[in-house]
Amino acid sequence: MNSQGFPKVTGPSDDKATPTMPPYNVFEDRCPTRLVLERLADKWAVLILARLEPGPVRFNHLRRGIKGISQKVLSQTLKRLERDGLISRSVFASVPVTVEYALTPLGRTLTETISALAHWAENNMDAVLAAQAAYDGAAV
Amino acid sequence: MNSQGFPKVTGPSDDKATPTMPPYNVFEDRCPTRLVLERLADKWAVLILARLEPGPVRFNHLRRGIKGISQKVLSQTLKRLERDGLISRSVFASVPVTVEYALTPLGRTLTETISALAHWAENNMDAVLAAQAAYDGAAV
DNA sequence: CAGTATCCCCCTCGATACTG
DNA sequence: CAGTATCGAGGGGGATACTG
C-alpha cells in the first residue's frame, strides 16, 4: 500500500471545483469512512446483510434466521441499513401485512466484499483458535 | 454464492478423520466464525490492524496515529489481537523500554482482506451519504 | 515510554408488553 | 405479521491517576 498505511487516499471525485475536499482517511475521526466502519462494527448488520444475499426476506423470517437477535435490534438495524441505502423495504398490503427486505444494488456490492471476510474466516479460523490456545496456555 | 447465502460452507480441512466437523456457519451463534465477526465488530481493532500495515509501530505512536482512542482501549485491544495471533509484541530493553507491535503473517492476510473494505468505503461513501440525505429528507 | 488501575457514565441490548 | 414503547441491567469506553 502507501506510506499512510491504509486507504488509497484519493477523494471519490477530485474535481478542482470542491474547495476543501479532504481525502478520505479512516484515521481521522471526522472522516466519513468511519461511518462504514461503524456499520460493520455492528455484527448484527453484517449478519443481516449476509442473510439477505440470496434474496428478499420477511421480517420474522429474518429474525428466526439470525440466532440470538432480538426484534428490537433487528428492527433498528434494518432501519439504519435502509437509511444507508444498503437495503430496501417493501410493504405488501396482503391480509396480514407482509414486509420484504432486500439488498439494494449498493448493498449487494458490499456483501460481495463482506463475503471475502467470510472466506478469510473459513480459511483461518483454525489458526486463530490455535493462537488463542497457545496464548492462554502460555499465560497459565 | 450458494443457497445458504453467505459463507462457502466447507470446513477448512474436511479430512474424513474428524468425526463431527460441523461446517462453519455464521448464523449459528456457536460457530467460531462469529469470533472473527466479533473481532471486526471492534472498530478500534480494525484501525489498529490498518495502522500496522506499513510496518511495526510503538505503543504511543500508535496511540497518536489513531485519533480518539484511549490508552486503555488501545492496550486491551492490542492484547486481544495478540491473543488471536494477528499481531506480535516485541519488547526492546532500551533505556526507556520500547515496545513494537507488528502484524504477524496471519494478521497480514487479514489486513489484505480489510483493505478491500477500505476501498469499498472510498468508492461508495458518496452513495451512502446521498442515501442518508434522501432518507432523512423524506422523513421530514 | 508503556502500560495498569479505578471510577463512572452512557448507551446498547434483552425482555416484556402493547398496537395496527 | 411487523413492528413500537418502555424499562432496566450490563458492559464498553473515556478520563484520570499511578507504576516500572
Side-chain angles (χ1 to χ4, degrees), chain A residues 10 15 21 24 27 45 59-60 76 90-91 93 113 121 129-130 135 138:
Chain A
T10 36
D15 297 347
M21 170 58 107
Y24 288 145
F27 300 113
F59 186 86
N60 280 325
Q76 74 189 17
S90 309
V91 183
T113 308
L129 259 19
Y135 186 95

Side-chain angles (χ1 to χ4, degrees), chain A residues 28-65:
Chain A
E28 296 298 328
D29 31 8
R30 310 292 277 166
C31 181
T33 48
R34 282 262 175 127
L35 191 147
V36 175
L37 235 49
E38 302 286 348
R39 191 53 54 246
L40 271 115
D42 186 355
K43 130 185 128 185
W44 297 123
V46 174
L47 288 175
I48 289 172
L49 289 174
R51 204 58 174 172
L52 288 179
E53 235 234 309
V57 186
R58 284 177 300 100
F59 186 86
N60 280 325
H61 190 254
L62 210 40
R63 188 152 111 82
R64 277 186 296 270

Side-chain angles (χ1 to χ4, degrees), chain B residues 1 3 7 11 15 17 22 28 35 39 46 49 58 61-64 79-80 84 88 96 100 107 121 127-128:
Chain B
M1 305 285 128
S3 63
D15 297 347
E28 295 299 326
L35 192 148
R39 193 52 56 244
V46 174
L49 289 174
R58 284 178 302 99
H61 191 254
L62 209 41
R63 188 154 111 82
R64 278 186 295 271
K79 234 176 290 183
R80 277 199 285 252
D84 289 351
S88 63
E100 265 187 6
V128 172

Side-chain angles (χ1 to χ4, degrees), chain A:
Chain A
M1 303 284 125
N2 57 30
S3 64
Q4 262 291 342
F6 197 34
K8 185 162 46 61
V9 190
T10 36
S13 64
D14 34 17
D15 297 347
K16 60 285 292 176
T18 39
T20 14
M21 170 58 107
Y24 288 145
N25 181 359
V26 267
F27 300 113
E28 296 298 328
D29 31 8
R30 310 292 277 166
C31 181
T33 48
R34 282 262 175 127
L35 191 147
V36 175
L37 235 49
E38 302 286 348
R39 191 53 54 246
L40 271 115
D42 186 355
K43 130 185 128 185
W44 297 123
V46 174
L47 288 175
I48 289 172
L49 289 174
R51 204 58 174 172
L52 288 179
E53 235 234 309
V57 186
R58 284 177 300 100
F59 186 86
N60 280 325
H61 190 254
L62 210 40
R63 188 152 111 82
R64 277 186 296 270
I66 302 173
K67 285 287 294 178
I69 197 169
S70 70
Q71 73 217 116
K72 178 183 147 191
V73 170
L74 176 57
S75 174
Q76 74 189 17
T77 306
L78 284 170
K79 234 178 287 182
R80 275 199 286 252
L81 291 172
E82 188 191 357
R83 187 173 104 98
D84 290 351
L86 298 174
I87 67 173
S88 62
R89 179 177 179 276
S90 309
V91 183
F92 299 95
S94 40
V95 188
V97 65
T98 299
V99 180
E100 267 188 6
Y101 291 92
L103 290 175
T104 61
L106 180 62
R108 191 161 297 280
T109 67
L110 181 54
T111 59
E112 279 173 19
T113 308
I114 285 179
S115 77
L117 240 29
H119 290 120
W120 188 91
E122 292 172 359
N123 297 328
N124 300 98
M125 206 63 248
D126 293 347
V128 171
L129 259 19
Q132 288 188 350
Y135 186 95
D136 295 345
V140 175

Side-chain angles (χ1 to χ4, degrees), chain B residues 71-137:
Chain B
Q71 73 220 116
K72 178 185 146 188
V73 170
L74 176 57
S75 175
Q76 74 189 16
T77 306
L78 284 170
K79 234 176 290 183
R80 277 199 285 252
L81 290 172
E82 188 192 358
R83 188 173 103 97
D84 289 351
L86 298 174
I87 66 173
S88 63
R89 178 176 179 276
S90 309
V91 183
F92 299 96
S94 41
V95 189
V97 64
T98 299
V99 180
E100 265 187 6
Y101 291 92
L103 290 176
T104 60
L106 181 62
R108 190 160 298 281
T109 66
L110 181 54
T111 60
E112 281 173 17
T113 308
I114 285 178
S115 76
L117 240 29
H119 290 120
W120 188 91
E122 292 171 1
N123 297 330
N124 299 98
M125 205 65 249
D126 292 347
V128 172
L129 259 20
Q132 288 188 349
Y135 186 94
D136 295 345

